[in-house]
Amino acid sequence: MIDKLAFVHPTAKIGHNVTIGPWTYIGENVEIGDDTWISSHVVVKGPTVIGKGNRIFQFSSVGEECQDKKYAGEQTRLIIGDNNIIRESVTIHRGTTQDHGETRIGSNNLFMAYVHIAHDCVVGNNVIMANNASIAGHVHVGDWVILGGMTGVHQFVHIGDHAFTAGASLILKDVPPFVMASGSPAAPRGLNLEGLKRRGFTKESQRAILNAYKAIFRKSLTIEEANAELAESAKNDANVKMLVDFVNHSARGIIR
């Protein structure tokens, strides 16, 4: 299943039923899990661990050294989970020792063409990054997030679970869970209710999240005042608690 025109370094560990296309380069200290398909003209450098069932399309660069000028050749890593689709010309860089030395990607994600994931990023599961979406260094993206095409995310920003950004959004501050954002710079535009419906959130839970959203974003309350208003709801609803905790632990501050 490895084309004779591909190069696979002797130290690379290749799982069962792996396909590697012509003119693809698999470098030193790379591990590729079972049932992964890699097209032609792909570069994978290590240390990188790629899980099972991934699909990597042509001209992608996976596990390359980062573009941080402080990087000095340290042995940092890229970890990728299972069943991800990495489309044409996606770039994913390894971490730096200024963080945890690791870029980490979860499972079941779709990265469309020309997506960029920079050093030390943490991307969860079931994430969609549309064409040309880019996240700078140290960005954290939660589960079930959708980043619209050409979204740009500033370094160190955190994006909570189930959040959604419109195309060409510029994200300079943290985006809390469940929130839709758009603009340059991005501002909150409501809840991702359609996403919550698709994922089976009950109407009761949707109402609780909506009430929490209104307290934080629509009532001109301070964060402390919103916390007081939502204290009882956060005790009774795990999703409201997640939203409130995210806001309270935001280092950069949230979009408002």
Side-chain angles (χ1 to χ4, degrees):
M1 306 293 283
I2 299 176
D3 193 278
K4 64 182 180 181
L5 295 176
F7 172 82
V8 178
H9 194 278
T11 65
K13 298 178 181 178
I14 310 299
H16 298 291
N17 195 37
V18 171
T19 298
I20 299 175
W23 298 291
T24 282
Y25 175 93
I26 308 297
E28 186 176 5
N29 297 323
V30 170
E31 298 181 27
I32 300 174
D34 299 347
D35 302 312
T36 290
W37 175 87
I38 300 177
S39 183
S40 63
H41 300 91
V42 173
V43 175
V44 183
K45 293 186 177 181
T48 290
V49 177
I50 298 174
K52 299 178 181 179
N54 293 284
R55 293 175 57 81
I56 305 176
F57 285 74
Q58 57 269 24
F59 309 116
S60 291
S61 176
V62 177
E64 183 57 271
E65 293 182 0
C66 68
Q67 299 174 124
D68 190 325
K69 291 181 71 175
K70 297 186 296 296
Y71 180 74
E74 299 91 350
Q75 282 286 90
T76 57
R77 302 197 302 168
L78 167 65
I79 308 295
I80 297 177
D82 302 330
N83 303 313
N84 296 289
I85 298 174
I86 299 172
R87 292 299 308 228
E88 300 87 338
S89 301
V90 169
T91 52
I92 307 175
H93 290 168
R94 303 196 309 274
T96 66
T97 55
Q98 283 71 42
D99 202 321
H100 291 96
E102 184 175 283
T103 301
R104 181 172 289 272
I105 310 294
S107 298
N108 304 306
N109 300 302
L110 169 58
F111 305 129
M112 297 185 192
Y114 301 100
V115 159
H116 176 63
I117 299 173
H119 60 89
D120 303 293
C121 287
V122 178
V123 178
N125 305 304
N126 302 293
V127 170
I128 298 174
M129 295 178 63
N131 298 61
N132 292 99
S134 296
I135 56 178
H138 313 279
V139 167
H140 287 210
V141 178
D143 297 338
W144 298 102
V145 170
I146 298 176
L147 301 182
M150 296 183 288
T151 290
V153 182
H154 193 279
Q155 62 183 353
F156 295 101
V157 161
H158 286 202
I159 299 177
D161 295 356
H162 304 281
F164 178 100
T165 70
S169 295
L170 176 61
I171 313 299
L172 300 179
K173 292 188 175 183
D174 293 350
V175 180
F178 315 114
V179 171
M180 293 195 302
S182 70
S184 180
R189 307 296 181 182
L191 280 185
N192 183 18
L193 288 174
E194 188 60 37
L196 300 186
K197 292 175 186 176
R198 291 176 182 177
R199 293 162 207 148
F201 281 69
T202 66
K203 290 183 178 180
E204 180 182 4
S205 188
Q206 290 177 47
R207 282 194 296 270
I209 296 169
L210 181 58
N211 289 335
Y213 175 88
K214 289 178 179 178
I216 295 169
F217 294 101
R218 292 291 180 259
K219 292 188 175 181
S220 300
L221 302 176
T222 66
I223 295 299
E224 292 75 16
E225 291 168 340
N227 280 336
E229 181 167 321
L230 296 172
E232 190 63 29
S233 180
K235 291 179 183 178
N236 298 322
D237 190 291
N239 294 307
V240 174
K241 184 178 187 303
M242 179 170 66
L243 176 56
V244 171
D245 286 347
F246 182 98
V247 171
N248 288 332
H249 292 94
S250 172
R252 290 187 60 82
I254 62 170
I255 60 171
R256 283 189 104 184

